[in-house]
Amino acid sequence: MPILTTKNLTKHYGTAPNIIRALDGVDLEVNKGEFVAVVGQSGSGKSTLLHMLGGLDTPTSGTVIVDNHELSQMKDEELTIFRRRNVGFVFQGYNLVPMLNVYENIILPIELDGNKADAPFVDKIIDMLGLGDRHNAMPNQLSGGQQQRVAIARALAAKPSIVLADEPTGNLDTKTSQDVLGALKMTASQFHQTIVLITHNEQIAQLADRVIYIEDGKIKSRGVVPQ
Amino acid sequence: MWIIVITVSLIACILTAWLCHRYVSRAVASVEAVLERILARDFSSATLLNEDDRISKLAHKANRVTNMLITEAAHAKAEKNTVQGFISDMSHQMKTPLAGIAMYSELLLDGNLNAEDALEFISRMKISVGKLQWMMDSLIKLSHLEVGTISLNPSLEDIGQTISEAIITVLAEAERRRIEISVSNFEDTQLLHDRKWTTEALVNILDNAIKYSANNGKITIAVEPLQYYTKISIADNGIGIPKSDWPQIFKRFYRGQNVKDKEGVGLGLFLVRTIVESQGGYVLVDSNPGGTCGTVFSVFLQNC
């Protein structure tokens, strides 16, 4: 059952004749619990795609449906709340709040939604990601790999319908990348978490259940949906 | 005077009570609506409830419960499909060697063969039997893992010993093919793994490295600690794996594009992945077909 569907998703920048087709009619389906990697070179449209999927940007035409909600039908305010509850983001730059410690960073999205964190669940994630002894550490006391693990924990803590990860290891060296990816893989299988991972690196994409290749704003190959 | 005060407070009370009542009934009604849909097996969750209030949050959570159940049901169904696919794949894979054995034994029983042909047929039968044997062994191991009758018992053990055991298992075959296996220096550490099954996984990778390398090839094993994982890499200088095959090779019964003519059924790497991932680790492949460096399989095991 798809949790995420795009239909003829198109994003153009500029006006004719200098039109840039960042996305050119992308049809995509991601099933609940699936770990999908979208692979493309820089400029292929993969980041634009992720921004559309997360409702961070509006398409020129076409639709994005997340958990039966069509994003373009929502008002800005609704979209903000929808994102907060349903989408977990992991970006290349970690985006941790420097004044908050590890634990506070992780539960921030939950508190923003006016909820109390599910403490045992959050602790479980923190332990699984090897951050058990870093609860009170500040982001600047952590290595890059650890910071990204905190960002992954933050994305998972609100139990989102879907996690969108945009080049999560883009700022990390190969060794640290492999350390962080293991964490992502483990959480995917432990929680049956739906994950869309955007990357240019085919080595990294291997961890996904399915690899989709994107080129010039179009899907070139969509992989085999696992049974 | 008093009458006015009492009347006003009474009105205020009634108003508050009415508002409370309205709020509660709306909350109950919205949750009820969601539950009603679940009971009707309508999972479209079409109502837009992205407002910043309690009712919306409650309805949202009810929605999430539905989603969780759907995911779990889908997961169970997928597992059932896997098992079904497994059985049908398996029977399909067994057909060819079995047909071969049937045919050769028939011909041998007819007896109109010269000694040379007879020997040829017997050796072909032997290959088919070997293939069936290997498949059977792998299937038994897999079924144990899939059904969970054998649970992996990861515990903190020296990884050096595990690697040695894997090398010893494949040593005879490597020597026969004059392939050198070397291990780069490393500091032995304790890693969270199940020794028996991890050895099995490493043996499968080594078997492949030997099988897909030319005689006099070279296999290098290295151990490199990361912060959370330790990477065990097994590099060969064999024929390599094309990039387009990378996402496929760990799938059950998948045979690489450039190895269709070689012996094998496509279970080895599937087993590797299943074993390693059941212990919270993962496997990556890197390869350079046509080049001189061959293939590197990296197994990542958790440090603790």
Side-chain angles (χ1 to χ4, degrees):
Chain A
M1 189 163 173
I3 184 114
L4 180 116
T5 312
T6 72
K7 285 181 191 147
N8 199 21
L9 192 64
T10 305
K11 179 73 177 178
H12 292 172
Y13 293 104
T15 46
N18 300 319
I19 212 158
I20 296 162
R21 294 181 162 82
L23 285 180
D24 209 4
V26 170
D27 293 313
L28 182 68
E29 260 190 14
V30 176
N31 285 321
K32 287 194 173 121
E34 207 182 0
F35 183 176
V36 170
V38 177
V39 178
Q41 294 310 310
S42 66
S44 59
K46 60 185 193 303
S47 287
T48 311
L49 175 64
L50 185 115
H51 289 156
M52 303 288 164
L53 299 183
L56 295 172
D57 200 350
T58 46
T60 309
S61 64
T63 51
V64 178
I65 299 160
V66 179
D67 201 10
N68 292 303
H69 296 293
E70 195 179 323
L71 299 193
S72 58
Q73 301 286 311
M74 290 186 202
K75 295 190 212 87
D76 272 359
E77 201 184 325
E78 282 179 332
L79 200 56
T80 308
I81 295 165
F82 181 80
R83 261 201 311 266
R84 208 157 65 199
R85 288 181 192 162
N86 293 287
V87 189
F89 288 99
V90 181
F91 292 111
Q92 187 169 336
Y94 329 134
N95 300 3
L96 302 179
V97 181
M99 288 86 79
L100 300 179
N101 68 25
V102 165
Y103 190 79
E104 291 160 346
N105 262 291
I106 291 172
I107 61 168
L108 183 64
I110 304 172
E111 296 204 321
L112 277 179
D113 203 25
N115 287 322
K116 266 189 71 167
D118 175 355
F121 179 74
V122 173
D123 282 341
K124 190 176 162 195
I125 293 175
I126 291 176
D127 279 344
M128 229 173 88
L129 292 177
L131 298 164
D133 53 348
R134 312 296 292 174
H135 267 233
N136 299 317
M138 302 305 279
N140 63 9
Q141 297 170 310
L142 302 176
S143 68
Q146 284 174 322
Q147 290 188 49
Q148 194 59 302
R149 281 174 169 248
V150 175
I152 293 174
R154 179 182 56 190
L156 293 167
K159 303 173 188 159
S161 310
I162 185 161
V163 169
L164 299 176
D166 190 4
E167 295 278 12
T169 59
N171 276 349
L172 305 170
D173 59 58
T174 312
K175 274 194 193 180
T176 318
S177 298
Q178 290 167 342
D179 244 2
V180 167
L181 285 170
L184 206 59
K185 173 84 195 169
M186 195 159 57
T187 50
S189 49
Q190 284 266 326
F191 301 123
H192 303 312
Q193 177 68 55
T194 316
I195 299 182
V196 177
L197 166 73
I198 300 273
T199 179
H200 67 278
N201 185 335
E202 274 162 289
Q203 263 260 298
I204 289 172
Q206 287 173 45
L207 288 178
D209 302 324
R210 183 154 66 103
V211 183
I212 291 166
Y213 292 91
I214 184 167
E215 206 180 298
D216 298 329
K218 289 188 172 116
I219 289 181
K220 285 290 158 196
S221 146
R222 50 184 73 244
V224 184
V225 183
Q227 293 168 349
Chain B
M1 180 65 190
W2 281 110
I3 290 175
I4 296 170
V5 172
I6 290 168
T7 318
V8 169
S9 4
L10 209 64
I11 290 171
C13 272
I14 292 169
L15 202 66
T16 318
W18 180 73
L19 282 173
C20 279
H21 175 261
R22 200 179 69 144
Y23 181 80
V24 170
S25 22
R26 273 182 59 202
V28 171
S30 69
V31 174
E32 207 183 351
V34 175
L35 291 175
E36 203 67 61
R37 283 208 340 274
I38 298 171
L39 288 171
R41 300 196 158 269
D42 164 17
F43 301 127
S44 56
S45 64
T47 38
L48 267 178
L49 287 159
N50 293 306
E51 279 154 44
D52 225 346
D53 57 20
R54 274 263 164 79
I55 298 173
S56 163
K57 273 178 208 158
L58 213 56
H60 169 72
K61 291 227 164 103
N63 259 338
R64 294 304 317 274
V65 173
T66 330
N67 275 338
M68 195 176 76
L69 294 176
I70 294 171
T71 312
E72 269 163 26
H75 199 73
K77 200 177 159 202
E79 261 172 20
K80 191 179 146 217
N81 284 343
T82 309
V83 175
Q84 270 174 0
F86 202 75
I87 294 167
S88 91
D89 281 347
M90 181 180 72
S91 26
H92 187 76
Q93 294 287 330
M94 288 188 145
K95 255 188 202 157
T96 321
L98 267 176
I101 293 170
M103 187 179 73
Y104 297 132
S105 57
E106 198 99 353
L107 289 169
L108 284 164
L109 278 171
D110 280 351
N112 305 326
L113 296 170
N114 60 37
E116 201 183 322
D117 284 348
L119 203 64
E120 165 73 20
F121 286 166
I122 290 171
S123 64
R124 283 196 196 174
M125 276 171 76
K126 199 181 158 210
I127 291 171
S128 293
V129 169
K131 209 168 175 174
L132 284 173
Q133 184 97 54
W134 196 82
M135 257 176 78
M136 214 55 229
D137 289 347
S138 309
L139 285 169
I140 289 168
K141 281 172 204 157
L142 274 175
S143 67
H144 285 325
L145 279 176
E146 294 223 340
V147 185
T149 47
I150 286 190
S151 49
L152 273 78
N153 274 321
S155 58
L156 279 174
E157 290 192 88
D158 292 340
I159 191 64
Q161 173 76 23
T162 309
I163 295 173
S164 312
E165 282 178 21
I167 295 173
I168 289 164
T169 315
V170 300
L171 207 55
E173 180 62 12
E175 271 174 4
R176 194 180 71 79
R177 301 276 316 280
R178 291 190 301 282
I179 288 170
E180 184 195 322
I181 302 179
S182 62
V183 182
S184 311
N185 271 335
F186 68 94
E187 204 176 310
D188 201 0
T189 54
Q190 294 205 318
L191 295 182
L192 192 65
H193 69 292
D194 178 304
R195 177 164 287 157
K196 183 173 153 249
W197 286 100
T198 309
T199 304
E200 178 76 40
L202 296 177
V203 165
N204 279 338
I205 297 175
L206 285 167
D207 269 341
N208 279 347
I210 294 169
K211 191 156 101 185
Y212 300 120
S213 291
N215 288 349
N216 302 309
K218 202 169 158 22
I219 295 170
T220 314
I221 302 175
V223 178
E224 188 183 6
L226 311 174
Q227 192 173 7
Y228 292 96
Y229 292 87
T230 293
K231 170 160 99 171
I232 304 160
S233 52
I234 299 177
D236 64 40
N237 54 358
I239 58 171
I241 302 165
K243 234 178 207 181
S244 55
D245 266 347
W246 291 2
Q248 312 288 338
I249 50 172
F250 294 104
K251 289 181 181 155
R252 194 163 36 97
F253 293 120
Y254 184 82
R255 301 293 321 278
Q257 319 232 339
N258 55 346
V259 300
K260 293 255 155 74
D261 55 331
K262 292 252 186 189
E263 285 278 298
V265 287
L267 280 175
L269 288 176
F270 177 60
L271 199 58
V272 170
R273 188 177 195 170
T274 310
I275 293 170
V276 175
E277 288 186 359
S278 321
Q279 308 180 73
Y282 65 104
V283 195
L284 288 181
V285 64
D286 195 0
S287 186
N288 182 14
T292 46
C293 22
T295 303
V296 187
F297 278 97
S298 304
V299 173
F300 296 81
L301 293 174
Q302 282 182 290
N303 289 343
C304 59

